[in-house]
Amino acid sequence: MPLSQELITKAQNILQEWSNEATAEMQRLLNERLKKNQYESALSQSINFEGTDATAEGAVATWSLDDYYIFVDLGVKGVNNKSKTYTSDDYPAGFQFKNLGTPPQMIDAMKNYISRKGIPLQDLQGNKMTIEQKAFQMSKAVKSKGTDGTRFYSDVFNDKGFKRLTDKLERSIGGEFEVKIIAQLKE
């Protein structure tokens, strides 16, 4: 039996509400786990819930995030394996730096970070450094130690979170619902 337009609209509204909550929770977890103020994290600011669309065949909620979110979520093991990392169904082996080589993109990103944060251009002994030297030093340290995973995404988009959505739908509409997640990365 096809769903009425009223039920489709109701389901879309519930999905919209749940999606807004999921977006806020991702931002909260990311900032909390990165120990940042609410609007300080660039990744947190990049989380964009683009809205929902519902038809009799199904409903879609769409988010866009900076493409490196998965590395922040799961973490990346360092060459010396000092980081706390996680795996997922999509990435069962997780992520790991293979060597201490620092590509130009990493150096450029680190220079940008140094400038934005006002990090002093000196080494641990207080000796002056150029921004290139400091970026290289920091890049080597990241690749050696790795980056800890935050699970800001995985702790929201999981069975528990989807159960909350299906429970809301079932209570509101009065029927059983199946939530099927299709993750699609934009090229």
Side-chain angles (χ1 to χ4, degrees):
M1 179 168 98
L3 294 175
S4 69
Q5 186 58 46
E6 180 184 344
L7 287 179
I8 292 169
T9 301
K10 196 178 232 186
Q12 183 176 3
N13 290 340
I14 292 167
L15 179 59
Q16 178 83 30
E17 178 184 311
W18 180 86
S19 298
N20 286 332
E21 292 168 5
T23 302
E25 183 65 2
M26 278 193 294
Q27 290 170 326
R28 186 190 71 75
L29 288 173
L30 184 59
N31 289 318
E32 176 184 287
R33 293 173 183 176
L34 289 176
K35 296 171 181 58
K36 302 281 184 188
N37 294 330
Q38 179 151 2
Y39 296 103
E40 194 172 341
S41 165
L43 182 57
S44 174
Q45 291 177 0
S46 83
I47 298 171
N48 181 27
F49 172 56
E50 296 177 356
T52 60
D53 186 31
T55 66
E57 287 78 42
V60 174
T62 306
W63 285 264
S64 64
L65 291 83
D66 279 346
D67 56 359
Y68 63 91
Y69 82 92
I70 194 68
F71 303 113
V72 175
D73 185 55
L74 298 180
V76 181
K77 285 184 184 178
V79 173
N80 295 327
N81 294 327
K82 294 185 177 187
S83 55
K84 184 175 184 180
T85 60
Y86 304 94
T87 61
S88 72
D89 291 341
D90 293 333
Y91 303 99
F95 301 104
Q96 179 176 0
F97 290 117
K98 303 290 184 206
N99 58 53
L100 290 176
T102 53
Q105 303 92 319
M106 187 175 195
I107 300 291
D108 289 343
M110 211 51 86
K111 285 170 36 178
N112 182 305
Y113 180 79
I114 291 166
S115 297
R116 280 186 296 120
K117 297 295 181 179
I119 295 172
L121 296 177
Q122 58 189 21
D123 63 16
L124 296 176
Q125 291 74 36
N127 300 319
K128 284 260 188 214
M129 305 175 84
T130 66
I131 194 167
E132 288 81 12
Q133 290 170 323
K134 185 69 171 183
F136 181 77
Q137 180 187 56
M138 289 174 63
S139 297
K140 284 272 202 201
V142 166
K143 291 202 81 178
S144 176
K145 296 175 187 173
T147 60
D148 289 337
T150 62
R151 300 211 36 101
F152 80 96
Y153 180 87
S154 301
D155 284 352
V156 173
F157 293 97
N158 57 26
D159 290 340
K160 184 178 175 183
F162 299 137
K163 180 160 178 16
R164 275 195 354 266
L165 173 59
T166 57
D167 288 349
K168 279 183 174 189
L169 286 166
E170 288 172 0
R171 276 193 310 274
S172 179
I173 296 175
E176 287 190 22
F177 286 86
E178 177 184 352
V179 175
K180 183 189 269 187
I181 305 304
I182 302 170
Q184 182 176 351
L185 299 176
K186 291 183 179 177
E187 300 284 322

